[in-house]
């Protein structure tokens, strides 16, 4: 089987590209496992100063693979791996991000996006909740905005994502926008980066440790519920779920 995560390295930056176009880079068990392995490899490489997490195709990540979802505990382990990595992780987004993909985006230390990117927490429309992803996101997001978008599943654009704290920066040319960011990371010392990341990610790491077990259990229970089965079936059948008014 072709790899679902492609790794490349240039001048201190390891680029990890999600490449599962068949399911819009959804969080399957295989993709999550490959990404964890690639992150561990980057962490162990002294030549790597920072990691860029990006994607092929027009979707950064569509969230859980509804046909073959990964175990919530494995997704939690992936989020912790990014939060605890002793090197900064920079998200580079040029497409759509949905549901669990927003947790992947939110746990990154810096996030940049282009003008055609879009965002939506779609869980409530499927009978689910943004449970596991709330841990890296709630410490970063404007509380009023988080309540609105978590509850309503409305889509929003890059400018709004930056306003509410989901993105660090956005621009017409995401590569140009990231140039000073990556230049600054290349000039920083490994020790300085590791110690500073530990400071800036402390609230996220604390949430993942404190609430991880409880929220993975909640997520698993919701996925197994009758309402979630109806919501997911309706999505595949391209119809409204039974509860929709």
């Amino acid at each position: 089987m072709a790899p679902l995560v492609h790794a490349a390295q240039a001048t201190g930056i390891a680029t990890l590209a999600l490449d599962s176009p068949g399911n819009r880079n959804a969080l399957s068990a295989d993709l999550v496992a490959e990404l964890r392995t690639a992150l561990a490899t980057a962490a162990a490489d002294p030549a790597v100063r920072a990691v860029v997490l990006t994607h092929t195709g027009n979707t950064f990540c569509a969230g859980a693979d509804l046909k073959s979802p990964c175990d919530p505990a494995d997704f939690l382990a992936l989020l912790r791996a990014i939060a605890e990595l002793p090197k900064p992780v920079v998200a580079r987004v040029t497409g759509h991000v949905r549901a669990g993909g927003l947790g992947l985006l939110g746990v990154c230390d810096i996030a940049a996006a282009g003008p055609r990117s879009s965002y939506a927490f779609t869980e409530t429309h499927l009978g689910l909740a943004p449970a596991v992803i709330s841990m890296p996101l709630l410490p970063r997001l404007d509380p009023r905005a988080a309540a609105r978008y978590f509850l309503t599943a409305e889509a929003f654009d890059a400018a709004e994502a930056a306003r509410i704290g989901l993105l660090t920066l956005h621009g017409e040319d995401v590569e140009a926008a990231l140039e000073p960011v990556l230049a600054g990371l290349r000039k920083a010392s490994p020790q300085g980066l590791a110690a500073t990341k530990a400071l800036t990610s402390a609230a996220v790491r604390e949430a993942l440790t404190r609430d991880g077990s409880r929220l993975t259990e909640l997520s698993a229970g919701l996925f197994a519920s009758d309402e979630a089965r109806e919501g997911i079936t309706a999505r595949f059948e391209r119809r409204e779920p039974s509860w929709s008014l």
Side-chain angles (χ1 to χ4, degrees):
M1 189 176 72
L4 304 178
V5 178
H6 293 280
Q9 185 179 325
T11 321
I13 305 298
T15 298
L16 307 182
L18 307 182
D19 187 19
S20 182
N23 65 0
R24 299 186 302 149
N25 294 324
L27 296 164
S28 65
D30 288 339
L31 185 143
V32 168
E34 286 190 29
L35 184 51
R36 287 176 66 188
T37 297
L39 287 164
T41 299
D45 188 344
V48 171
R49 197 62 52 84
V51 174
V52 170
L53 180 61
T54 189
H55 61 103
T56 63
N58 63 4
T59 301
F60 174 76
C61 179
D65 184 340
L66 297 178
K67 293 182 179 179
S68 180
C70 72
D71 188 303
D74 291 336
F75 183 43
L76 173 63
L78 171 61
L79 296 179
R80 292 186 72 167
I82 295 173
E84 295 171 2
L85 201 77
K87 303 175 184 187
V89 180
V90 179
R92 174 193 171 278
V93 178
T94 59
H96 310 300
V97 194
R98 297 291 184 267
L102 287 156
L104 196 59
L105 177 63
V107 78
C108 291
D109 302 288
I110 297 169
R116 287 177 293 282
S117 60
S118 71
Y119 311 83
F121 297 93
T122 55
E123 287 89 348
T124 59
H125 288 194
L126 295 172
L128 303 169
V132 175
I133 67 172
S134 70
M135 291 180 280
L137 287 166
L138 290 179
R140 303 196 191 278
L141 297 182
D142 171 81
R144 285 295 193 185
R148 173 183 176 177
Y149 291 120
F150 277 23
L151 290 166
T152 67
E154 295 170 85
F156 52 98
D157 63 12
E160 177 68 353
R163 186 192 72 81
I164 68 175
L166 180 62
L167 293 177
T168 311
L169 68 161
H170 68 100
E172 288 297 318
D173 184 341
V174 69
E175 301 293 350
L178 277 175
E179 280 181 8
V181 172
L182 298 182
L185 294 176
R186 288 188 179 103
K187 289 176 185 251
S189 84
Q191 173 179 278
L193 288 175
T196 302
K197 172 167 177 170
L199 295 173
T200 59
S201 66
V204 169
R205 289 184 289 106
E206 180 182 354
L208 290 166
T209 299
R210 181 188 64 236
D211 300 324
S213 295
R214 176 177 62 86
L215 292 180
T216 53
E217 289 176 7
L218 172 62
S219 180
L222 290 171
F223 264 100
S225 69
D226 290 339
E227 281 195 19
R229 280 191 288 273
E230 165 62 10
I232 292 169
T233 299
R235 175 64 56 87
F236 285 132
E237 294 178 351
R238 298 181 181 276
R239 62 173 174 81
E240 294 294 326
S242 59
W243 64 73
S244 182
L245 302 178

